[in-house]
Every structure is written in structure tokens, then in C-alpha cells.
Amino acid sequence: MTDGQHDTGEYRTPGGPASDQPTGGHPIKAVIGGIVGLWLVLWLVLPNPKDQPVDPRTGMTERTPGMTSGTPNVPHVTSRTVAVLPEFNAAAVLVPPDTTDEQIANLLQRFRVARIDETLVQYVPATSKGDRLGPHAIADIYVFSESEWATAAALRALAKGPHSRDGKPGALSFRDVVKHVRGHYVINLHEAEHRDRASLGYADEDGSTYGTEYKELF
């Protein structure tokens, strides 16, 4: 090529095909290669369900990160503690009116896990402050779905039991309140054999049960 002349041919990679020649790749081979490559990526990245942790109580795969109840198909229910009577080691927890029994059972299971993890105080204030075994060494946690019954007066009536009535006129009685208890979680870390128990509804020390859907959970 002499000075003043310019190469008007198209640029191509050294050793590569000319612009009017096929690249040598076959479209079917390219598709098959893409499918195989995608399968390898998914096989390497996605975990095998058989390798996932399984809750020993339910046999169900724990699919939800942070799930503490072992029932990942039951939506968690919003709850808040609205009354505490430290002198009776009692607390009232309020849930929405449309909360199902299954959700309450799930909530009580989460409370139990939180007690074991020593994080229950994040959800329920201390019921045995100063006890050497912790802030919930002794606790009666009652779950209500009606705000008018989740009160300190209702807790006092429950704490006094079925055979007692407050001397004040018009005061709530045990039987007035107990039929509104949706769930009950009892903790006594001073009992080595039976440190906690929970139920839907309520059972007193005599074994009498209250609530049409009473069920012992643990």
C-alpha cells in the first residue's frame, strides 16, 4: 500500500472469518449449550430440599428465615402486652379480634422459644423482676382478642381464681373473665419437671377447663 492510499476493507479479527462468511456456530448447538449452562447454574445455586433443616416437632422444612414456631404456613399474628400485674406475675396480651386458634397456638409456641432464647422480655414485660432465674421465672400470660377484657382488673380476677370474688361492688369475677381467655402460657422455672405449659382456653389447678375450644398445646 503506497502513501496516500487507504484500505477500504472491513476490519476483522486476525484469523476470523470474513464478513461474508458464516461464523461456524450452529443455532441449535447454541440453544442446547445455553440450556445445559442454565441447568448447571441452578443445580449449583439452589439448595436441595433434602438438605434443608427440618423442624423435629413437625417434620416440616423451615422455609421462612427467622421462623421460630415450626409452622411456617401459619401467618404470625400481631400482639402487644396491654396490662401487667407483677404482684400476681400476670400479663395480658392482646391480639386482633379475627385471630384464629391456630395463630394463637403459633404465638404461644413463639413465646416459648423466646423464653428459651431469653428474649421474651422483648414481647412481655418482666413478671418476676429480681428473681434469680430471670424476668419470667414465674409468669401467667393470658391472650385476649377483645380489648375490653385485656385489663388489669381482668388479670386480678383470674389470679384470684374461681373460688374468690373481689369485695368491691361490681368487680369482675373469675367466671366473668375466663370465658374470654383465648390462650394461656404458664411459666415456673422453679419446677424442674414442668417448667412451662400452654393451652388454648384455660385450665385451672383443679383440672377444670374453660373455653369451647380448649386444647393443651405443651
Side-chain angles (χ1 to χ4, degrees):
M1 184 184 298
T2 60
D3 293 341
Q5 291 180 317
H6 298 279
D7 184 3
T8 58
E10 295 182 3
Y11 176 82
R12 63 189 176 94
T13 303
S19 60
D20 59 347
Q21 294 178 334
T23 60
H26 195 287
I28 295 180
K29 292 181 180 179
V31 171
I32 294 174
I35 292 174
V36 172
L38 179 61
W39 180 84
L40 287 172
V41 170
L42 294 176
W43 184 79
L44 291 171
V45 173
L46 295 180
N48 188 333
K50 294 181 180 179
D51 297 332
Q52 298 306 294
V54 175
D55 191 300
R57 294 169 296 181
T58 64
M60 299 182 67
T61 300
E62 295 180 358
R63 293 168 293 172
T64 307
M67 177 70 71
T68 59
S69 68
T71 53
N73 292 326
V74 181
H76 284 184
V77 62
T78 301
S79 65
R80 58 192 178 96
T81 302
V82 294
V84 179
L85 282 183
E87 63 269 31
F88 293 113
N89 309 109
V93 173
L94 182 64
V95 297
D98 60 351
T99 302
T100 66
D101 286 342
E102 193 174 15
Q103 286 177 307
I104 290 176
N106 189 26
L107 176 66
L108 296 177
Q109 290 282 2
R110 287 197 288 138
F111 281 169
R112 187 186 203 187
V113 173
R115 177 193 69 75
I116 294 171
D117 292 343
E118 299 183 354
T119 58
L120 183 57
V121 73
Q122 297 177 15
Y123 311 102
V124 180
T127 55
S128 57
K129 191 174 182 179
D131 192 291
R132 62 183 178 84
L133 295 182
H136 297 101
I138 301 175
D140 272 289
I141 301 173
Y142 300 91
V143 180
F144 297 89
S145 58
E146 302 162 281
S147 59
E148 61 268 30
W149 295 102
T151 64
L155 288 179
R156 186 172 289 106
L158 291 170
K160 291 187 175 182
H163 307 297
S164 178
R165 184 181 181 91
D166 198 314
K168 297 179 181 179
L172 292 175
S173 70
F174 173 87
R175 295 189 180 277
D176 291 333
V177 179
V178 72
K179 57 188 176 182
H180 298 280
V181 175
R182 297 287 308 277
H184 186 209
Y185 182 32
V186 183
I187 305 171
N188 189 344
L189 300 186
H190 296 276
E191 290 185 4
E193 298 297 325
H194 205 173
R195 297 164 69 86
D196 62 358
R197 63 184 186 275
S199 63
L200 296 176
Y202 180 89
D204 62 25
E205 295 181 354
D206 298 329
S208 300
T209 60
Y210 303 85
T212 57
E213 301 298 329
Y214 175 82
K215 180 181 178 180
E216 185 176 343
L217 299 175
F218 55 83

